[in-house]
Amino acid sequence: MSRTLVISPNWIGDAVMAQPLLQLLKQQNPGAAIDVLAPPSVAPVWRAMKEVDSVLETPFRHGPLQLGERWQYARLLKQQGYAAAYVLPNTLKYALIPLFAGIATRVGYKGEMRFGLINRMHRDDVPARPMVPFYAALAGAPDAPLRLDVPRPAMQVERGAIDALCARLGIDRARALVVFAPGAEFGAAKRWPARHFAALAQALVAQQPGTQVALLGSPKDKAACDEIVAITGAAGVFNLAGVTQLDEAIALIAGAAAVVANDSGLLHIASALNRPVIGLYGPTDPDHAPPFSDMAKAMSLRLDCSPCKQRECPLGHHDCMEKMDAGGVWRELKPMMNVSR
């Protein structure tokens, strides 16, 4: 069997948005197996994609080149006989791996001047493009026009996994579950204030009695989630920040009636699972990486100062998120809840 290696981006959201590339590769060569080499923190995303035959977790530390370790790992990959490799990170160090592994076709963007390492090179020194078509373009010729009509990212979770996890966490599957994702790895500027999330939870529970709210995120998001719980009271609100692993967060999102999230990896997971989703955008551009499920809303005030793409508000007021009130988000969420139930 012919085998293809895909080297994953390091960010969860980017990994999700790269999934259509795999759909296109499968269309071109249905019989080829696709393996994905991914950081452990991103690997669960790829395991929820049907096109992936196996997920290999990178053993490398963040930062250092680790040339010897990459050489040794590449020699192990060589035994798999990969016909082609798609290098999605733009760094030089990830492009070394397929070269060392003797993979004949090495596809990727120019990135860090990777001439010779990448031998089917696409140009990335062009105006910004939406991320899904950006990754999907690697399935075509380097000089082909950019296609915008590419497949949507798609992930899947077995119902049994959702039921078992909810039972363990005390979440009632007979009642609607709404997931909030108050975190964002990029920086504080991307975070909708905790008090706004709390106000939205209060409106949701008041107007849709019996609804459960799950707060998801990493340990870094626990303080914000604690604040939300403190404002709302604990009844029906599950603070799972730092409690669930990524594969468990994916399963909870798959079972959600709706998801409200900052521009983050969990937002894109919700889209790929085709859940009703609202994405909250402040310093980032909603047109660059929008949610794409059947029921999706990208909310942005589109102020003159945004998208600034900064980790912290350079003007000090954070108006792009502060002035996005919970009432406006609830007006978008309510019809999604009615349809999804």
Side-chain angles (χ1 to χ4, degrees):
M1 178 184 293
S2 173
R3 303 192 76 85
T4 297
L5 179 67
V6 173
I7 300 182
S8 169
N10 291 320
W11 297 98
I12 291 170
D14 281 12
V16 174
M17 290 185 282
Q19 194 273 344
L21 168 64
L22 275 63
Q23 295 186 48
L24 295 175
L25 294 178
K26 277 291 187 183
Q27 290 174 15
Q28 294 171 3
N29 191 353
I34 298 177
D35 296 342
V36 176
L37 178 62
S41 59
V42 177
V45 171
W46 296 102
R47 293 193 178 102
M49 299 177 183
K50 66 179 183 179
E51 294 81 6
V52 178
D53 286 81
S54 63
V55 178
L56 314 172
E57 295 190 5
T58 55
F60 313 116
R61 301 183 306 280
H62 178 68
L65 179 59
Q66 302 163 82
L67 189 61
E69 290 91 334
R70 289 176 195 275
W71 169 265
Q72 292 175 3
Y73 190 76
R75 305 323 287 170
L76 296 176
L77 293 178
K78 185 178 178 65
Q79 300 172 19
Q80 299 299 318
Y82 292 110
Y86 291 78
V87 186
L88 305 190
N90 277 339
T91 59
L92 182 145
K93 58 188 177 184
Y94 275 107
L96 290 170
I97 295 171
L99 177 70
F100 291 164
I103 300 173
T105 303
R106 304 182 297 277
V107 186
Y109 284 100
K110 181 178 68 174
E112 295 180 342
M113 303 298 289
R114 301 185 296 182
F115 297 101
L117 303 179
I118 300 296
N119 59 11
R120 199 169 92 192
M121 183 177 289
H122 292 243
R123 307 292 296 191
D124 51 4
D125 50 354
V126 295
R129 293 166 286 183
M131 289 303 295
V132 172
F134 177 78
Y135 285 124
L138 293 175
D143 57 353
L146 181 69
R147 285 181 53 190
L148 297 179
D149 59 334
V150 296
R152 295 191 320 200
M155 297 168 61
Q156 58 188 19
V157 178
E158 293 184 1
R159 183 181 179 88
I162 302 170
D163 292 342
L165 179 60
C166 287
R168 181 167 66 80
L169 295 174
I171 295 172
D172 186 352
R173 288 284 282 143
R175 296 160 53 195
L177 174 69
V178 177
V179 166
F180 289 175
E185 286 295 319
F186 176 77
K190 288 176 71 172
R191 295 173 182 259
W192 199 40
R195 69 180 187 282
H196 289 353
F197 272 110
L200 181 61
Q202 289 171 324
L204 178 61
V205 173
Q207 298 193 44
Q208 303 250 351
T211 301
Q212 305 162 106
V213 177
L215 310 177
L216 295 183
S218 71
K220 298 177 185 177
D221 306 318
K222 188 176 184 305
C225 292
D226 285 343
E227 184 180 347
I228 295 168
V229 171
I231 295 171
T232 60
V237 179
F238 297 82
N239 185 356
L240 303 176
V243 175
T244 51
Q245 301 298 314
L246 180 57
D247 59 338
E248 296 172 324
I250 293 170
L252 282 176
I253 290 171
V259 177
V260 180
N262 298 324
D263 180 14
S264 64
L266 296 183
L267 169 68
H268 299 296
I269 286 171
S271 289
L273 291 167
N274 202 24
R275 306 316 304 142
V277 60
I278 294 177
L280 308 173
Y281 294 81
T284 54
D285 184 357
D287 298 327
H288 182 62
F292 32 72
S293 51
D294 289 344
M295 298 173 62
K297 176 68 175 181
M299 296 194 66
S300 171
L301 298 181
R302 297 188 181 270
L303 303 179
D304 291 342
C305 57
S306 65
C308 68
K309 301 179 182 178
Q310 300 299 310
R311 292 179 181 271
E312 303 287 342
C313 176
L315 302 177
H317 52 56
H318 203 206
D319 281 354
C320 60
M321 293 304 241
E322 289 284 348
K323 291 185 176 180
M324 188 186 299
D325 65 276
V329 178
W330 170 241
R331 284 191 292 274
E332 298 293 341
L333 177 61
K334 185 176 181 180
M336 292 184 178
M337 291 289 298
N338 292 336
V339 172
S340 64
R341 294 189 69 184

